[in-house]
Amino acid sequence: MATEDLIAGLRAVLSADEITELTRLSGGASRDTFRFRADGRDLVVQRQRPAPAAAEGEPVERDMAVEAAVVRAAHRAGVAVAEVVAASTDVSILGAPFLILEALDGETIARKILRDDGFAGARHRLVGQCARSLARLHTIDPGEVIGLVEVDQVSRYREILDQLGQPHPTFELVLRWLDEHRPVSSTAVIVHGDFRLGNLIVGPSGLRAVIDWELAHIGDPAEDLGWLCVKAWRFGAAPPVAGVGGYDELLAAYVAAGGVGVDRDTLRWWEVMGTLKWGIMCIMQTSAHLTGVAKSHELAAIGRRVCENEHDLFLALAGAW
């Protein structure tokens, strides 16, 4: 879509007199993201890119209207999230389904958040703030959002691994362990599905907003907690929770904010599940490049991360994590 057409579309959907400072932002492979001002108000628009034919085992892109509904429900519940200003799946408006949100200042690059002096105060607060946002998210009645489905993570990723057709004995071993040690699910709630550093906007005082809600689904609340602890999302830092805190701190803050009690064994199970999941996702992304679905040096390079996850899984099962 030409810039002038995008500006005209934004003016129409927002009933704005003036759209200025339209700037493309870096983002994921599935979205075109721009920051702009509408009559002096700072906003962000995300447009859904046309999806290529899905690689074998790759999930189908969800209707963006469901994501907008989740973000609106999260905002009402007090989750740290940007306010939805407008959203539509009508491609005649901006050339693609879109989501327009309030723009919030802050950093998303994990290595800066974990190392820069300007975020020292944020690092002390981040575990508690993440726990509070997750507790609030998990109190939302799943019936508020039409279109979310419940997903059994073990079955889903076993099926994907089988479809990819690559031999990974480590992943097969871990899938068996996950089946044999599966905890009893406490309840079914809306989970973010990708709650981690990189998907959090962080300012000097801590968490500003949770972003990237396209993987939200119905699941066990401990899934989000475990994913936050996956070693890959510590980005080289030692503390197990997002590289900034400890397990007991996270679990205590989550319960204090109204979340259901989660024991350490359950958290560990979901951390192992998350590590397996990320390992298989690395295979998926590299396969997308190798099969020509989405040619990308980044996707090709991510294949090296598969062995890192296999190593981490062996450490986890040996109790050395």
Side-chain angles (χ1 to χ4, degrees):
M1 190 178 205
T3 300
E4 57 270 22
D5 293 332
L6 177 56
I7 289 174
L10 290 170
R11 287 183 60 190
V13 75
L14 296 170
S15 300
D17 294 323
E18 188 177 41
I19 301 294
T20 59
E21 301 179 32
L22 183 70
T23 305
R24 183 184 289 271
L25 303 178
S26 59
S30 65
R31 304 289 170 86
D32 289 317
T33 304
F34 298 84
R35 182 163 177 154
F36 65 98
R37 305 196 83 196
D39 294 340
R41 184 182 184 186
D42 290 319
L43 300 172
V44 168
V45 60
Q46 291 188 319
R47 295 172 64 250
Q48 184 72 59
R49 292 179 188 165
E56 190 173 22
E58 190 171 352
V60 175
E61 190 68 42
R62 179 192 289 130
D63 185 335
M64 214 168 180
V66 178
E67 181 181 346
V70 174
V71 176
R72 286 187 170 113
H75 189 269
R76 290 193 297 270
V79 178
V81 66
E83 180 182 359
V84 175
V85 177
S88 179
T89 57
D90 184 347
V91 299
S92 69
I93 301 173
L94 296 183
F98 67 88
L99 185 62
I100 299 175
L101 305 120
E102 170 192 15
L104 297 174
D105 293 327
E107 183 59 76
T108 60
I109 298 175
R111 294 190 181 278
K112 292 185 178 181
I113 294 167
L114 291 172
R115 292 165 174 77
D116 287 4
D117 291 341
F119 295 100
R123 290 192 287 272
H124 289 296
R125 302 182 184 98
L126 199 54
V127 171
Q129 292 169 334
C130 287
R132 284 192 291 277
S133 274
L134 284 176
R136 290 168 183 169
L137 170 64
H138 297 159
T139 63
I140 299 171
D141 181 352
E144 285 190 36
V145 182
I146 305 302
L148 291 179
V149 296
E150 189 165 359
V151 180
D152 182 280
Q153 296 291 300
V154 176
S155 297
R156 174 183 173 82
Y157 282 92
R158 175 182 282 111
E159 179 181 1
I160 290 173
L161 183 61
D162 289 345
Q163 290 173 338
L164 288 165
Q166 295 187 22
H168 286 274
T170 302
F171 293 159
E172 299 291 351
L173 174 67
V174 172
L175 283 166
R176 179 180 298 180
W177 183 89
L178 288 167
D179 266 335
E180 292 174 351
H181 296 82
R182 185 189 292 258
V184 176
S185 180
S186 56
T187 185
V189 302
I190 297 176
V191 298
H192 180 276
D194 198 10
F195 193 100
R196 61 175 178 84
L197 285 186
N199 289 336
L200 307 176
I201 298 176
V202 177
S205 60
L207 182 63
R208 298 292 313 281
V210 183
I211 60 175
D212 289 356
W213 291 79
E214 60 263 34
L215 296 182
H217 58 274
I218 306 299
D220 190 304
E223 179 184 338
D224 277 335
L225 297 171
W227 188 247
L228 185 61
C229 299
V230 166
K231 191 175 181 181
W233 312 134
R234 305 171 196 171
F235 296 90
V241 181
V244 294
Y247 296 119
D248 290 338
E249 179 187 2
L250 173 66
L251 295 177
Y254 181 70
V255 171
V260 298
V262 176
D263 60 49
R264 286 284 295 273
D265 286 341
T266 298
L267 182 66
R268 178 172 179 261
W269 189 94
W270 280 104
E271 186 177 344
V272 172
M273 178 65 234
T275 306
L276 170 81
K277 176 179 175 178
W278 174 231
I280 294 174
M281 289 172 72
C282 289
I283 303 173
M284 292 166 59
Q285 293 186 44
T286 299
S287 294
H289 168 79
L290 293 174
T291 58
V293 171
K295 287 292 186 180
S296 163
H297 290 298
E298 181 181 1
L299 294 178
I302 209 165
R304 66 184 175 84
R305 306 298 300 273
V306 176
C307 63
E308 295 176 6
N309 287 283
E310 290 174 325
H311 177 262
D312 290 340
L313 286 167
F314 275 126
L315 293 178
L317 296 189
W321 200 325

